[in-house]
Amino acid sequence: MQRFRRLLMAFVFITGMLYFALCALTFAAQRSLIYPAPRSEPEALRGRPGFGQVPLAAGLSVDTFYLPAPPGAPTVLHFHGNGEQLLGQRGLGQLLGDAGVGFLAVEYPGYGASGGSPSEAGLYAAAEAALQFLREQGVKPEQVVLSGRSLGTGVAVEMARRGYGARMVLVAPYTSMVAMGQRLLPFLPATLLVRDRFESLTKAPGITIPVLVIHGEQDEVVPVDMGRTLGQRFPHATVVTVPRAGHNDVLEQDGLKEFARLATFALDGT
């Protein structure tokens, strides 16, 4: 019996140490998991039509893709997903441009050809730099439609919380990064480990602008129930779920129609 107790204690100790090591590894590596940060060469975008840069603090800058709006039309400010980069946003910009809407996408620090390292604070800094750029282009606050996809929905929500934007479109949004961590790694204490939290659910009740949530009913990354739950917390939100759409193809199906509709009517209140 004594030998069994010693073996049991040794097993518990080793298991606890392994669990602690796994927690420590997850804590250290979490930003590489949240931000895969695909890269591109500067020559792939700089100097090409529509591409430019906006400055950040400490001498850094991030790249942008900008298609000016027709006179009086709104401009969509878009924040992309965690596995995307700026080069992949041209198609969305051109589609919205064809609908008569301006478009600005901003890169995240450490993504594409932009310097720095991604973090929640860094993404917010890039977003505010993009908003400053729009002001310098003469785009009025009431003409700005905030837009985010997946990871970028947390950026859009924070900008709305800070008082920016006249409307907002959230594509495949999550409720918080903590909730995503709990879903993906339920055996780890995500509440204690997650550093970049993107707490959209707690911010939503204080955001009074009209919000459109678009979510694929077959989303295999962010469950559609997260989009529904988040939509219920905004005072003025419409939730559109797209049958047969997953995480990466929701806009490529009927979701883009709703996206363009809200952006196009951002100024007339309908």
Side-chain angles (χ1 to χ4, degrees):
M1 181 63 71
Q2 191 68 23
R3 184 169 179 268
F4 174 77
R5 287 178 179 172
R6 287 198 299 268
L7 289 172
L8 180 61
M9 290 178 64
F11 174 78
V12 171
F13 176 77
I14 293 171
T15 302
M17 291 299 293
L18 289 173
Y19 184 77
F20 178 80
L22 180 59
C23 289
L25 178 63
T26 303
F27 182 81
Q30 63 182 276
R31 280 184 172 157
S32 64
L33 299 173
I34 296 172
Y35 312 110
R39 301 292 291 173
S40 59
E41 295 298 324
E43 295 77 14
L45 41 80
R46 292 176 189 164
R48 298 177 62 179
F51 289 97
Q53 291 181 293
V54 293
L56 301 180
L60 293 175
S61 62
V62 288
D63 294 294
T64 58
F65 177 69
Y66 181 49
L67 298 174
T75 296
V76 171
L77 173 55
H78 184 66
F79 309 111
H80 63 67
N82 74 332
E84 300 180 293
Q85 60 174 307
L86 187 66
L87 279 172
Q89 309 314 304
R90 291 175 296 176
L92 175 60
Q94 290 162 357
L95 285 169
L96 291 172
D98 291 343
V101 178
F103 182 80
L104 174 64
V106 61
E107 192 57 283
Y108 303 143
Y111 273 70
S114 295
S117 300
S119 66
E120 183 174 9
L123 269 59
Y124 294 161
E128 290 212 301
L131 286 156
Q132 174 62 31
F133 170 80
L134 287 178
R135 287 193 292 271
E136 293 168 355
Q137 304 307 305
V139 178
K140 299 176 182 178
E142 62 270 21
Q143 295 174 315
V144 175
V145 179
L146 299 169
S147 163
R149 184 168 189 165
S150 193
L151 172 66
T153 62
V155 184
V157 168
E158 175 61 18
M159 293 304 103
R161 187 194 69 81
R162 297 184 185 187
Y164 299 111
R167 290 198 172 195
M168 183 164 60
V169 182
L170 303 176
V171 181
Y174 50 95
T175 52
S176 74
M177 200 57 68
V178 172
M180 286 298 297
Q182 291 170 333
R183 176 178 183 270
L184 296 173
L185 300 170
F187 49 87
L188 294 180
T191 301
L192 300 177
L193 296 177
V194 174
R195 299 162 65 187
D196 294 355
R197 305 177 78 86
F198 294 99
E199 297 279 5
S200 294
L201 190 65
T202 61
K203 298 171 185 176
I207 295 172
T208 58
I209 61 175
V211 178
L212 172 65
V213 174
I214 304 173
H215 216 121
E217 292 183 4
Q218 305 303 316
D219 195 318
E220 69 286 2
V221 178
V222 181
V224 66
D225 284 347
M226 277 197 175
R228 293 191 179 108
T229 298
L230 185 60
Q232 291 170 358
R233 294 295 294 272
F234 291 107
H236 306 289
T238 300
V239 177
V240 175
T241 61
V242 183
R244 298 179 299 280
H247 188 71
N248 295 316
D249 64 350
V250 60
L251 282 185
E252 286 66 21
Q253 297 193 37
D254 290 341
L256 186 60
K257 298 176 184 177
E258 294 296 327
F259 191 134
R261 181 190 63 78
L262 180 133
T264 303
F265 294 115
L267 299 182
D268 63 13
T270 60

